[in-house]
């Protein structure tokens, strides 16, 4: 009776051990598959971008993978923004300003592996992501209304975004979230933010 119980117990121990080993092997195999998915994205990806409608953004960007699904992106360029005003009860475009800007953005992609399993393209980080972005804008170097005092600004943005590669050299995307500007001042501004982006992929296989 004792030997029968011991044999039954050993069988259960062996079964649990086999299960744990198989699960560990499965997880390791998944990790290796995920790592292979991102092998070709180790090189920085340089893009020329435009963005609408919060003014017209024209800028260059460099996105570098830090670890799988986590990237850091640098951006730099110009923003031309339009304001509307009234004069003699007639609406007109006014307060046009063009500023330089620089930003750093940390992106966490959330569905690249699942898109790959479904046979969808994930090249050049074609996926959905959450991002935290710091933006600095300069004082305007061109403006239509000299009577308005423009200042440089700094802002943090938190947004949800999408990015898709079109063909081999083009991409489209967009984001939506909120921005906190001039957070170090006594009256920081908090507002929703969103836009549509697209452009040309300069480097990256």
């Amino acid at each position: 009776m004792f030997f029968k119980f011991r044999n039954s117990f050993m069988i259960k121990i062996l079964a649990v051990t086999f299960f744990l080993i198989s699960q560990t092997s499965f997880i390791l195999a998944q990790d290796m598959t995920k790592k292979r998915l991102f092998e070709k994205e180790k090189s920085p990806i340089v893009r020329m971008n435009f963005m609408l409608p919060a003014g017209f953004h024209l800028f260059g960007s460099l996105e570098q993978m830090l670890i799988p699904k986590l990237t850091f992106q640098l951006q730099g360029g110009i923003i031309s923004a339009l304001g509307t005003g009234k004069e003699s009860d007639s609406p007109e475009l006014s307060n046009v300003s063009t500023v330089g800007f620089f930003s750093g953005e940390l992106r966490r992609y959330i569905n690249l592996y699942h898109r790959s399993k479904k046979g969808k393209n994930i090249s050049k980080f074609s996926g959905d992501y959450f991002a935290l972005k710091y933006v600095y804008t300069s004082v305007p170097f061109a403006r239509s209304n000299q009577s308005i005092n423009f200042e440089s600004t700094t802002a943090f943005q938190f947004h949800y975004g999408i990015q898709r590669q079109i063909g081999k050299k083009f991409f489209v995307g967009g984001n939506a979230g909120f921005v906190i500007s001039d957070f170090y001042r006594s009256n920081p501004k908090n507002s929703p933010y969103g836009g549509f982006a697209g452009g040309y992929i300069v480097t990256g296989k």
Side-chain angles (χ1 to χ4, degrees), residues 45-60:
I45 301 170
V46 179
R47 304 181 180 94
M48 292 301 298
N49 309 255
F50 72 88
M51 187 169 182
L52 296 168
F56 179 75
H57 299 57
L58 184 63
F59 57 98

Side-chain angles (χ1 to χ4, degrees), residues 111 115 121 123-128 160-166 170-173 201:
N111 65 342
R115 282 177 55 80
N121 179 30
S123 297
K124 308 297 184 297
F125 299 105
S126 294
D128 301 6
Y160 172 82
I162 62 172
Q163 182 171 258
R164 300 291 187 269
Q165 183 178 355
I166 306 297
F170 297 93
F171 74 95
V172 295
I201 302 169

Side-chain angles (χ1 to χ4, degrees), residues 13-52:
I13 291 294
L14 290 173
V16 171
T17 302
F18 176 77
F19 175 77
L20 292 175
I21 291 174
S22 64
Q23 287 298 303
T24 302
S25 300
F26 176 74
I27 292 171
L28 290 174
Q30 274 196 326
D31 288 342
M32 290 299 295
T33 301
K34 290 179 181 180
K35 288 180 180 179
R36 284 195 293 268
L37 288 175
F38 300 104
E39 282 295 320
K40 62 181 180 180
E41 307 298 354
K42 285 185 176 180
S43 301
I45 301 170
V46 179
R47 304 181 180 94
M48 292 301 298
N49 309 255
F50 72 88
M51 187 169 182
L52 296 168

Side-chain angles (χ1 to χ4, degrees), residues 117-141:
K117 283 179 64 177
K118 292 180 179 179
K120 296 181 179 180
N121 179 30
I122 63 168
S123 297
K124 308 297 184 297
F125 299 105
S126 294
D128 301 6
Y129 60 88
F130 287 104
L132 178 64
K133 183 176 182 179
Y134 170 80
V135 183
Y136 168 80
T137 59
S138 69
V139 295
F141 51 82

Side-chain angles (χ1 to χ4, degrees), residues 1-199:
M1 185 72 178
F2 173 75
F3 289 107
K4 185 176 181 181
F5 172 78
R6 187 174 66 176
N7 289 339
S8 176
F9 181 75
M10 289 299 296
I11 290 172
K12 290 179 180 179
I13 291 294
L14 290 173
V16 171
T17 302
F18 176 77
F19 175 77
L20 292 175
I21 291 174
S22 64
Q23 287 298 303
T24 302
S25 300
F26 176 74
I27 292 171
L28 290 174
Q30 274 196 326
D31 288 342
M32 290 299 295
T33 301
K34 290 179 181 180
K35 288 180 180 179
R36 284 195 293 268
L37 288 175
F38 300 104
E39 282 295 320
K40 62 181 180 180
E41 307 298 354
K42 285 185 176 180
S43 301
I45 301 170
V46 179
R47 304 181 180 94
M48 292 301 298
N49 309 255
F50 72 88
M51 187 169 182
L52 296 168
F56 179 75
H57 299 57
L58 184 63
F59 57 98
S61 67
L62 183 149
E63 186 172 11
Q64 174 65 59
M65 183 178 72
L66 302 179
I67 58 175
K69 297 189 287 186
L70 185 69
T71 70
F72 184 73
Q73 182 168 238
L74 294 174
Q75 300 175 346
I78 60 172
I79 305 172
S80 287
L82 300 177
T84 57
K86 284 189 175 182
E87 184 174 341
S88 301
D89 296 325
S90 299
E92 63 178 2
L93 292 174
S94 64
N95 310 345
V96 181
S97 64
T98 301
V99 302
F101 83 95
F102 172 82
S103 69
E105 179 178 344
L106 191 65
R107 291 183 174 184
R108 171 60 165 85
Y109 288 88
I110 59 175
N111 65 342
L112 293 177
Y113 181 61
H114 296 291
R115 282 177 55 80
S116 176
K117 283 179 64 177
K118 292 180 179 179
K120 296 181 179 180
N121 179 30
I122 63 168
S123 297
K124 308 297 184 297
F125 299 105
S126 294
D128 301 6
Y129 60 88
F130 287 104
L132 178 64
K133 183 176 182 179
Y134 170 80
V135 183
Y136 168 80
T137 59
S138 69
V139 295
F141 51 82
R143 64 192 188 196
S144 62
N145 193 331
Q146 299 296 323
S147 65
I148 295 179
N149 182 26
F150 292 92
E151 297 180 339
S152 61
T153 62
T154 58
F156 276 108
Q157 296 175 7
F158 179 75
H159 58 256
Y160 172 82
I162 62 172
Q163 182 171 258
R164 300 291 187 269
Q165 183 178 355
I166 306 297
K168 292 185 177 181
K169 284 294 185 179
F170 297 93
F171 74 95
V172 295
N175 57 53
F178 65 91
V179 56
I180 302 174
S181 58
D182 296 331
F183 50 88
Y184 58 91
R185 296 180 179 175
S186 58
N187 56 341
K189 300 173 183 177
N190 185 359
S191 59
Y193 174 87
F196 167 81

